[in-house]
Amino acid sequence: MHLSKKCSVFKVVLSALLIVALLQLIYLSFLSKFHGKQQRYRYSELFGGSGVKKNAHPDKNTRKERLRYSLSTGGIFDSSGQYRIYKNLIKSDVTANQKPGSDPSSGVLTLATHTTINNLHHLESLLDRWQNPLSVAIFAHGQDVKFATALVYALSFFCPQIQALVDFHLVCLSGEMASFPEQDREHFAGLEDCASVFSRLETHRDKYKNYAISGNISYPNNLLRNVARGGAESSYILVIDIDMMPSADLHQQFLALIMKREPGTDEVFVLPAFEIRHARKLPGTKAELVQLYQVGEVRPFYEELCSRCQAPTNYSQWVNSHVRGATALEVAYTLTWVDPWEPFYIGPRTVPLYDENFKQYGFNRISQACELHVAGYKFSVLSSAFVVHRGFKIQGEFHPRKDEENKRNRVLFRNFKEGLKTKYPSSTRRC
């Protein structure tokens, strides 16, 4: 009798466990079906089809049609015929809807940058700091053309701040073409919000070392800079690499500075460039930066690789210069360009373009700074604005062909300087 009761209790417990297990299986099955249905709806919302509700948001349909149209043009070739350019692959709301008489501050200064897909994850923190119009030129090759098109569209779809402020341009080899990514479901699995898109981009983070693209492909940095600049519709443009960060509130401070000055077309505004240890939080103000500078956590950009390339900025003068007022941005001092200075600067949209013959490593920015000098520009250093590169640049971190590329571009630079004598025959300046 006692044994019979034990068996009965055991059967009850076992039955209860089986029921619980069954309910868990049903729940997991429900979750799986719900998630699959949600993903199908997300996908159909992205690309149209039977899953889209009749009252789908018109802005998102418009964005989709803009992308279709941009891709249908087939892009345009660059002057060398080696690259295909999809200008304004994705247009921001501020650019697409800009009308005469709209907010004048949005048309004063745009940040222009360039990258491959493996560094696009930096866009999140860059935009969080900048919070104003941004023009991004992306270079993609091979399978990354499809991936870049898909992920850029997803960013513009899921991220409200990107929708509002960022214009994307795509550059690939002339023999490659971008296509509308509606068949590329694998690229969109798991994407349901802005954070998930940036998480996907993180999986491609640092896929290549600097300029070491698979297939021995040259990174056309100056072409990309020009494409990003050309996509900006503002009076002034700041061109930086995507792994650099400007000081906080730069847009508003520069707007206030320009409003107080006589407009001029022969002046660029230099932002002293620094680099910071990877582990450190990026400074937002000059006071924060100087504090880190004084303890060696921040140093002049390229100090180890080419200290002469930034030394003319005169870091000691800038660090020790005082600013009148708590937030006012001013011109601290004005410099004449000297070789081999390659400053980062805010310039009017009329400044000479970058020479697109320079690719990969070496002389790509200094050639343009040299031309500014010959063309008669003056270099005014801003009192409290700056840019910071994430991480120290050190010897040994570059790709194996860096020295070979530098040697090739050095020859190009000599020829480039000779060409400036013909381009600016009345100038007495040389570089």
Side-chain angles (χ1 to χ4, degrees):
M1 187 76 175
H2 185 64
L3 183 62
S4 176
K5 284 184 178 179
K6 280 189 174 179
C7 288
S8 297
V9 170
F10 177 75
K11 287 180 181 178
V12 170
V13 171
L14 183 62
S15 298
L17 289 173
L18 287 172
I19 291 171
V20 169
L22 182 62
L23 288 172
Q24 285 180 328
L25 285 173
I26 293 171
Y27 178 67
L28 289 172
S29 176
F30 170 77
L31 281 182
S32 177
K33 287 180 180 179
F34 176 76
H35 182 69
K37 185 176 181 181
Q38 189 179 46
Q39 284 296 307
R40 286 192 297 275
Y41 174 73
R42 276 298 191 190
Y43 184 84
S44 61
E45 189 183 15
L46 277 162
F47 299 112
S50 59
V52 180
K53 295 180 179 179
K54 291 182 180 179
N55 60 347
H57 200 292
D59 286 349
K60 297 197 171 180
N61 286 332
T62 302
R63 189 168 291 106
K64 189 190 310 173
E65 292 311 310
R66 283 191 210 136
L67 175 61
R68 284 188 186 277
Y69 174 76
S70 297
L71 293 169
S72 70
T73 65
I76 59 172
F77 292 139
D78 76 316
S79 58
S80 73
Q82 295 180 298
Y83 300 97
R84 186 186 301 271
I85 303 166
Y86 292 92
K87 185 180 176 184
N88 290 320
L89 182 72
I90 300 282
K91 293 191 77 170
S92 66
D93 294 341
V94 72
T95 303
N97 302 322
Q98 199 164 37
K99 299 175 182 177
S102 58
D103 180 10
S105 66
S106 64
V108 173
L109 176 61
T110 299
L111 191 156
T113 190
H114 60 99
T115 183
T116 55
I117 197 70
N118 60 302
N119 270 327
L120 189 57
H121 62 275
H122 287 305
L123 177 63
E124 184 174 25
S125 57
L126 179 60
L127 184 57
D128 187 55
R129 168 70 64 87
W130 182 246
Q131 295 189 9
N132 279 284
L134 224 162
S135 179
V136 183
I138 302 170
F139 178 68
H141 164 61
Q143 289 299 311
D144 279 353
V145 176
K146 184 185 294 186
F147 184 71
T149 306
L151 268 290
V152 162
Y153 178 54
L155 285 172
S156 73
F157 188 91
F158 287 121
C159 306
Q161 200 172 29
I162 288 177
Q163 292 171 13
L165 297 171
V166 182
D167 294 335
F168 290 103
H169 321 280
L170 180 66
V171 176
C172 56
L173 298 180
S174 57
E176 300 172 329
M177 291 189 72
S179 58
F180 194 76
E182 57 191 337
Q183 301 303 319
D184 304 327
R185 290 177 181 265
E186 71 275 12
H187 290 319
F188 297 95
L191 299 186
E192 48 194 40
D193 55 23
C194 188
S196 63
V197 184
F198 277 109
S199 294
R200 181 67 52 81
L201 287 171
E202 283 281 346
T203 65
H204 277 244
R205 180 176 185 152
D206 304 325
K207 186 178 175 183
Y208 315 118
K209 283 192 172 185
N210 294 5
Y211 302 132
I213 301 173
S214 61
N216 200 24
I217 302 299
S218 294
Y219 182 71
N221 36 33
N222 276 359
L223 170 62
L224 293 166
R225 289 181 176 114
N226 287 341
V227 169
R229 268 186 53 177
E233 299 185 5
S234 55
S235 304
Y236 289 87
I237 303 169
L238 166 61
V239 181
I240 59 174
D241 299 342
I242 202 166
D243 57 357
M244 302 192 84
M245 184 73 78
S247 50
D249 301 321
L250 174 57
H251 188 278
Q252 293 83 349
Q253 292 175 355
F254 184 76
L255 175 61
L257 171 69
I258 289 300
M259 297 292 281
K260 295 186 297 184
R261 292 172 62 88
E262 288 291 326
T265 58
D266 62 347
E267 181 180 24
V268 296
F269 300 92
V270 175
L271 284 70
F274 297 84
E275 52 190 38
I276 187 171
R277 290 190 195 278
H278 271 299
R280 282 291 186 175
K281 178 184 176 184
L282 292 167
T285 66
K286 182 175 181 177
E288 293 171 351
L289 181 128
V290 169
Q291 188 175 21
L292 292 170
Y293 180 83
Q294 289 172 339
V295 296
E297 295 298 302
V298 163
R299 67 185 187 183
F301 185 61
Y302 254 48
E303 183 176 64
E304 184 174 326
L305 299 177
C306 181
S307 59
R308 293 170 57 244
C309 295
Q310 297 297 325
T313 302
N314 197 339
Y315 285 94
S316 60
Q317 181 177 351
W318 186 83
V319 167
N320 293 308
S321 64
H322 297 285
V323 186
R324 294 197 306 271
T327 58
L329 186 64
E330 303 170 356
V331 169
Y333 47 93
T334 299
L335 300 171
T336 300
W337 183 87
V338 292
D339 188 26
W341 193 25
E342 44 183 24
F344 293 92
Y345 64 84
I346 296 170
R349 61 180 301 106
T350 52
V351 300
L353 293 172
Y354 294 84
D355 189 291
E356 295 172 8
N357 290 307
F358 292 92
K359 301 169 190 173
Q360 292 290 101
Y361 184 87
F363 297 92
N364 47 77
R365 285 195 308 107
I366 190 176
S367 54
Q368 202 249 5
C370 161
E371 181 168 356
L372 290 179
H373 170 66
V374 174
Y377 283 81
K378 61 182 179 180
F379 294 76
S380 297
V381 182
L382 294 176
S383 59
S384 56
F386 56 87
V387 291
V388 182
H389 178 269
R390 305 162 195 263
F392 283 173
K393 291 272 193 180
I394 59 176
Q395 297 286 355
E397 279 197 347
F398 284 86
H399 56 294
R401 296 180 59 192
K402 166 183 168 282
D403 292 339
E404 177 187 333
E405 294 160 4
N406 202 41
K407 185 177 179 181
R408 170 189 170 274
N409 283 341
R410 190 186 303 278
V411 175
L412 272 178
F413 186 49
R414 290 196 194 107
N415 296 332
F416 174 80
K417 289 190 288 186
E418 287 299 312
L420 292 180
K421 296 176 183 177
T422 304
K423 189 173 181 179
Y424 302 95
S426 60
S427 176
T428 58
R429 295 182 174 188
R430 295 288 180 263
C431 58

